[in-house]
Every structure is written in structure tokens, then in C-alpha cells.
């Protein structure tokens, strides 16, 4: 099961799919939670963005979403490739910081 946060994005999985959600963040950049009376636990306040068949598709979808919604205006193929590589490096860095060495 996947329960991974990358910036303001939250990837979760069950046996059928990987979900990509955008978390609401407070002014300090921490995820906002809401108490769920039914289950008695705090849940993240988030908006669903995508349902993907596997983690690779979810990360590819998220990369495309970040490119489409980013603040940089992309007008050439070279810019697109640069932005895509930049996001890939961010994902790689994020994962390397959290995965024990040797795995």
C-alpha cells in the first residue's frame, strides 16, 4: 500500500489503483486536517486529482500536471524537456531522501 506525500500532493493506493490528491496546506505549509466523527480520526483535507493504474502512471500524471499548471510559460520543446527533467530530479531527490540506502 502506498501513502506518500510529495510537496502538497498525496499518493495513496489500494489493490486496484493509485490516487493522486492535492492536500490543503496552512500558512506554514503543513497539511490541514479535519476530524472525522465517524471514524474518530483526523483526516487530511484534500481534493482528488487523478486515479491511475500504478505508481509509474501516477508520477507521470503528476509530472504532466505540474508542467501544465506551473507558473513558467513553455514555448519550445527544449523548455518542455528542461522542465520535465527538473521535475524528475525533484521526484528523485524526494525519494532518495526518504528511502534507506541499499534498497
Amino acid at each position: 500500500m502506498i501513502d506518500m506525500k510529495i510537496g502538497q500532493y498525496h499518493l495513496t493506493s489500494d489493490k486496484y489503483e493509485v490516487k493522486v490528491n492535492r492536500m490543503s496546506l496552512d500558512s506554514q505549509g503543513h497539511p490541514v486536517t479535519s476530524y472525522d466523527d465517524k471514524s474518530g480520526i483526523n483526516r487530511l483535507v484534500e481534493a482528488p486529482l487523478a486515479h491511475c493504474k500504478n505508481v509509474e502512471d501516477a508520477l507521470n500524471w503528476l509530472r504532466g500536471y505540474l508542467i501544465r499548471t506551473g507558473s513558467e510559460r513553455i514555448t519550445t520543446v527544449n523548455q518542455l524537456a528542461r522542465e520535465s527533467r527538473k521535475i524528475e530530479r525533484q521526484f528523485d531527490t524526494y525519494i532518495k531522501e526518504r528511502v534507506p540506502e541499499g534498497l
Side-chain angles (χ1 to χ4, degrees):
M1 182 168 119
I2 296 169
D3 185 2
M4 182 170 74
K5 296 175 183 81
I6 300 175
Q8 74 178 100
Y9 301 95
H10 186 203
L11 280 67
T12 58
S13 71
D14 58 26
K15 64 182 183 178
Y16 301 108
E17 65 184 351
V18 177
K19 299 173 190 170
V20 181
N21 296 311
R22 183 177 45 233
M23 298 180 292
S24 295
L25 303 177
D26 64 16
S27 59
Q28 283 83 36
H30 299 109
V32 175
T33 59
S34 176
Y35 185 73
D36 182 2
D37 291 328
K38 208 182 249 187
S39 65
I41 61 172
N42 282 326
R43 296 196 183 274
L44 293 169
V45 176
E46 50 190 11
L49 295 176
H51 296 266
C52 303
K53 64 182 178 184
N54 57 45
V55 178
E56 184 180 1
D57 286 351
L59 290 173
N60 283 331
W61 183 90
L62 184 54
R63 181 183 55 210
Y65 177 79
L66 293 171
I67 289 170
R68 288 189 308 274
T69 62
S71 60
E72 184 176 333
R73 184 164 187 254
I74 298 172
T75 58
T76 68
V77 173
N78 286 339
Q79 283 178 300
L80 179 61
R82 242 188 337 270
E83 189 65 21
S84 181
R85 283 192 301 272
K86 180 176 123 187
I87 292 168
E88 283 294 320
R89 283 192 303 275
Q90 289 171 341
F91 287 171
D92 289 345
T93 299
Y94 178 87
I95 291 167
K96 285 177 186 172
E97 289 172 352
R98 285 159 180 80
V99 174
E101 197 169 319
L103 286 183

